[in-house]
């Protein structure tokens, strides 16, 4: 027997409680996922953890199970750290797996209600499919920068799945599970060759034909690619804006992209009539309130259909985590919080309480006239008056911009 746990940073504490609950069974445990990959020393120290999987686990887990089944030696399996007799055996990471050697997803394991998801403003039976793994870029706020470093000497981490094989799985899943919507897992859907996009588009339109949602980088958007998305039924696109401050993008975030490139991407996508969301992030180290308003101003120029804003969370694996620890914003073993729920750091130039107020007011600043900004500023405060003002604006926002 074997108990496996895969977790991200925010779910690690819950995972440890679950392993504590079954420790009495004596069944060996292995922990994998992003947090185990980038904080293996922290994870392996836990009493309820016998092994840690660093990096991808598909091949390592199969090899581990085969050896356990045959009473073989598990100490030298690539990707695994193993505790034995007070020692920790740290095995090297193997090369990234060929995505086309993986079996199709087995959805029979899940309750059918798991497929009902909010997508595009509706609740739909949604299928999620991996189109590629990793990212062609290495933004410092993203853990893909960590995966790039981990696999840098092993052929790299970014891979693309065979289009024909991907479409075949989509067709099978559509028929078996009555899918009505598709979410494509691709860090930057359009950052690939035009031939690949054309081949995917032709097969998807003819064989799948469901509405879908993707994420893109601004510099990957061209009129030709946008037209293909429109033609094959793309219903929504999320574009990574992140910050509207050029200095911050270039010197902190590792995104050397000009405002005019971002603006052109939104202009081209707007021409298609596809719903376009702007993905923004606030709370970076060295960011100031003024820089956040640069992001607000850029969003006002972009005029997206939807304004998304999240907190920067310095997860283990992202390059900026090291800076945050060096600056004393959080400790080595401290868990960064959920990027949707609140800030993980309280910085001298950007206090956590102020960031919370800016976060909730961000879409209001983007959508409402400047003449109302003084009132919106008062609505940032977590006070009876501030909460009343915010509630009034939130109701207006839903009424005027979300219907």
């Amino acid at each position: 027997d074997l108990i496996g746990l895969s977790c991200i940073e925010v779910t690690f504490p819950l995972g440890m409680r679950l392993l504590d609950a079954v420790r009495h069974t004596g069944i060996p445990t292995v922990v994998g996922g992003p947090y185990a990959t980038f904080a293996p020393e922290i994870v392996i120290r836990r009493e309820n953890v016998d092994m840690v999987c660093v990096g991808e686990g598909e091949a390592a887990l199969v090899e581990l199970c085969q050896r356990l089944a045959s009473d073989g030696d598990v100490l030298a399996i690539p990707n695994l750290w193993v505790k034995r007799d007070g020692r920790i055996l740290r095995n090297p990471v193997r090369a990234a797996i060929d995505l086309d050697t993986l079996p199709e997803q087995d959805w029979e394991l899940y309750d059918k209600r798991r497929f009902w998801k909010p997508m595009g403003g509706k609740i739909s039976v949604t299928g999620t499919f991996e189109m590629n793994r990793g990212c062609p870029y290495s933004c410092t706020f993203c853990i893909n920068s960590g995966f790039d470093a981990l696999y840098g000497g092993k052929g790299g981490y970014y891979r693309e799945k065979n289009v024909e094989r991907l479409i075949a799985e989509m067709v099978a899943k559509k028929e078996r599970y009555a899918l009505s919507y598709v979410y494509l897992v691709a860090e930057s859907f359009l950052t690939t060759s035009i031939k690949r996009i054309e081949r995917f588009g032709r097969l998807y339109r003819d064989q799948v034909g469901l509405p879908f949602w993707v994420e893109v980088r601004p510099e990957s958007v061209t009129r030709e690619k946008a037209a293909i998305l429109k033609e094959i039924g793309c219903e929504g696109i999320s574009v990574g804006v992140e910050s509207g401050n050029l200095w911050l993008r270039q010197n902190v975030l590792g995104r050397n992209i000009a405002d005019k490139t971002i603006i052109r991407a939104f202009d081209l996508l707007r021409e298609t009539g596809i719903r376009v969301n702007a993905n923004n992030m606030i709370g970076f180290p060295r960011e100031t309130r003024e820089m956040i308003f640069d992001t607000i101003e850029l969003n006002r120029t972009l005029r997206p259909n939807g304004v998304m804003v999240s907190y920067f969370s310095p997860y283990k694996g992202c390059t900026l985590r090291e800076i945050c620890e060096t600056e004393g914003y959080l400790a080595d073993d401290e868990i960064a919080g959920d990027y949707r729920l609140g800030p993980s750091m309280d910085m001298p130039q950007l206090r956590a309480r102020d960031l919370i107020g800016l976060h909730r007011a961000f879409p209001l600043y983007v959508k409402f006239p400047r003449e109302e900004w003084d009132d919106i500023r008062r609505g940032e405060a977590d006070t009876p008056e501030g909460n009343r003002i915010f509630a009034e604006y939130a109701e207006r926002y839903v009424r005027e911009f979300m219907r």
Side-chain angles (χ1 to χ4, degrees):
D1 291 336
L2 176 68
I3 297 175
L5 169 72
S6 180
C7 62
I8 58 176
E9 188 158 336
V10 296
T11 60
F12 178 68
L14 172 61
M16 290 301 96
R17 293 198 296 273
L18 292 173
L19 291 187
D20 283 340
V22 296
R23 193 57 173 166
H24 67 280
T25 65
I27 298 173
T29 61
V30 58
V31 178
Y35 190 65
T37 293
F38 298 118
E41 296 285 359
I42 294 173
V43 177
I44 199 71
R45 289 200 302 261
R46 301 298 290 254
E47 186 277 332
N48 56 8
V49 176
D50 299 310
M51 293 168 281
V52 166
C53 181
V54 176
E56 294 180 325
E58 288 99 339
L61 190 60
V62 169
E63 188 173 349
L64 174 60
C65 290
Q66 290 172 339
R67 296 208 186 178
L68 287 173
S70 61
D71 293 323
D73 185 8
V74 302
L75 297 181
I77 298 175
N79 291 63
L80 290 189
W81 288 23
V82 184
K83 281 195 295 199
R84 179 68 58 86
D85 300 327
R87 296 184 302 141
I88 299 175
L89 289 302
R90 298 170 174 84
N91 293 298
V93 173
R94 69 188 80 203
I97 197 166
D98 179 352
L99 298 182
D100 293 324
T101 65
L102 296 175
E104 292 186 0
Q105 303 172 80
D106 182 2
W107 290 356
E108 290 301 300
L109 299 169
Y110 303 107
D111 187 305
K112 300 302 183 289
R113 291 171 294 182
R114 296 290 296 174
F115 301 111
W116 287 93
K117 298 179 181 179
M119 297 296 295
K122 298 173 289 187
I123 303 296
S124 304
V125 182
T126 302
T128 302
F129 300 92
E130 185 179 43
M131 190 167 186
N132 55 46
R133 188 178 295 184
C135 183
Y137 304 95
S138 289
C139 301
T140 60
F141 56 84
C142 176
I143 64 170
N144 275 307
S145 60
F147 281 116
D148 288 341
L150 183 64
Y151 286 91
K154 300 181 180 297
Y157 187 67
Y158 178 74
R159 287 142 294 158
E160 296 178 340
K161 184 174 287 187
N162 176 271
V163 168
E164 287 76 13
R165 194 167 184 272
L166 173 65
I167 294 294
E169 181 177 5
M170 288 181 173
V171 171
K173 293 290 194 295
K174 173 188 174 182
E175 294 174 354
R176 183 164 185 174
Y177 296 95
L179 300 182
S180 58
Y181 207 95
V182 167
Y183 177 72
L184 287 165
V185 179
E187 299 285 352
S188 180
F189 180 84
L190 296 178
T191 306
T192 188
S193 69
I194 186 65
K195 289 184 178 180
R196 177 175 166 85
I197 294 173
E198 288 175 339
R199 187 166 72 254
F200 171 82
R202 182 172 60 255
L203 294 173
Y204 188 88
R205 179 194 59 208
D206 295 343
Q207 299 183 38
V208 183
L210 294 176
F212 65 98
W213 191 287
V214 294
E215 297 178 85
V216 304
R217 290 263 304 209
E219 59 267 57
S220 69
V221 178
T222 65
R223 179 170 278 108
E224 185 178 12
K225 291 178 179 178
I228 292 173
L229 290 178
K230 174 65 175 178
E231 180 185 352
I232 65 176
C234 180
E235 188 175 85
I237 302 173
S238 293
V239 183
V241 176
E242 316 312 350
S243 173
N245 181 271
L246 180 61
W247 181 89
L248 192 72
R249 288 202 303 268
Q250 292 180 330
N251 295 284
V252 178
L253 309 185
R255 291 173 70 91
N256 189 18
I257 178 174
D259 284 0
K260 65 180 181 181
T261 302
I262 301 174
I263 294 169
R264 174 169 170 75
F266 276 80
D267 288 343
L268 290 174
L269 293 173
R270 189 179 300 109
E271 291 175 4
T272 67
I274 299 172
R275 177 180 174 82
V276 183
N277 285 353
N279 285 355
N280 305 277
M281 198 176 296
I282 61 176
F284 296 110
R286 300 171 189 166
E287 188 177 36
T288 63
R289 181 181 178 89
E290 290 72 27
M291 291 178 180
I292 291 175
F293 268 86
D294 288 339
T295 309
I296 290 169
E297 291 287 7
L298 180 57
N299 274 254
R300 289 174 67 86
T301 300
L302 300 175
R303 295 182 291 120
N305 298 105
V307 180
M308 307 297 294
V309 58
S310 60
Y311 296 98
F312 166 64
S313 286
Y315 297 127
K316 287 285 189 180
C318 77
T319 306
L320 283 183
R321 173 71 183 226
E322 300 173 15
I323 293 176
C324 295
E325 290 182 8
T326 300
E327 295 292 333
Y329 298 147
L330 74 173
D332 173 58
D333 60 352
E334 190 172 347
I335 298 294
D338 191 322
Y339 67 90
R340 299 164 297 183
L341 302 182
S344 297
M345 303 180 294
D346 190 31
M347 300 176 287
Q349 87 287 359
L350 202 55
R351 311 307 305 197
R353 64 177 181 275
D354 298 328
L355 197 57
I356 292 171
L358 272 168
H359 179 270
R360 76 176 187 177
F362 188 103
L364 309 181
Y365 283 121
V366 172
K367 291 291 189 178
F368 287 109
R370 262 181 245 280
E371 293 76 16
E372 301 186 45
W373 277 16
D374 286 344
D375 289 337
I376 295 173
R377 175 71 183 265
R378 286 160 48 215
E380 292 182 30
D382 184 17
T383 63
E385 181 195 34
N387 291 331
R388 176 186 58 78
I389 293 172
F390 174 74
E392 292 172 357
Y393 269 101
E395 183 180 344
R396 277 185 59 192
Y397 188 95
V398 171
R399 186 171 63 250
E400 296 179 25
F401 304 113
M402 297 184 69
R403 292 179 180 173

